[in-house]
Amino acid sequence: EVKRGGDDNVVVGRDSLQKEFTSTHCIAVSAINAMDRLISENKPWSLVVSFNSPHPPMVSTGEYFDKYWDLRNDFFVPPSIDTTHMKNSAYKQAKNPKIQDVDSVKEWMVSYYALVEEVD
């Protein structure tokens, strides 16, 4: 299930792809292959690998999403998500009405944590 988080640029949810078919996996395999090739040349080298995750779209594979979905009720959401503490933040309730909804924040945390683990 994939949901829009209020802002059309923020998509969060669970994907049905196996982890071997994600962009994270493809980038990692390409980087490993490049390292193997560069090492075999026996010359100095440098390699920069940039992963898109954990950035929008916040959609992770079921394996990682499900792990954190079951833990979401234990996530800590600080009381600072109220308007008083966030008035100087780029995250505005007018832009995204769910930004201060604790359950919505926990759903976003599920996707974020899942994507961080996917990269690791």
Side-chain angles (χ1 to χ4, degrees):
E1 175 184 345
V2 175
K3 297 186 207 179
R4 292 208 175 270
D7 179 344
D8 284 342
N9 294 322
V10 180
V11 178
V12 297
R14 181 189 193 280
D15 198 340
S16 60
L17 283 177
Q18 296 176 3
K19 65 181 177 182
E20 293 81 16
F21 298 108
T22 65
S23 62
T24 299
H25 187 268
C26 292
I27 291 168
V29 168
S30 295
I32 291 168
N33 290 339
M35 285 190 293
D36 289 342
R37 180 180 49 78
L38 291 165
I39 290 169
S40 71
E41 293 174 3
N42 203 24
K43 296 188 284 186
W45 57 274
S46 175
L47 179 66
V48 176
V49 181
S50 297
F51 293 92
N52 181 65
S53 292
H55 300 288
M58 305 289 281
V59 179
S60 61
T61 62
E63 176 181 344
Y64 300 117
F65 185 89
D66 294 345
K67 173 181 176 181
Y68 291 100
W69 184 257
D70 294 339
L71 300 172
R72 74 187 181 286
N73 291 326
D74 297 328
F75 292 168
F76 173 74
V77 178
S80 62
I81 66 168
D82 67 19
T83 54
T84 305
H85 293 92
M86 292 190 63
K87 66 182 174 186
N88 294 323
S89 169
Y91 300 103
K92 303 290 183 201
Q93 191 171 17
K95 184 176 181 184
N96 188 338
K98 294 184 177 182
I99 198 72
Q100 293 165 335
D101 176 70
V102 172
D103 290 332
S104 293
V105 171
K106 287 181 178 185
E107 287 182 19
W108 297 328
M109 291 170 74
V110 167
S111 291
Y112 179 79
Y113 293 157
L115 288 170
V116 167
E117 184 167 345
E118 187 176 294
V119 170
D120 283 350

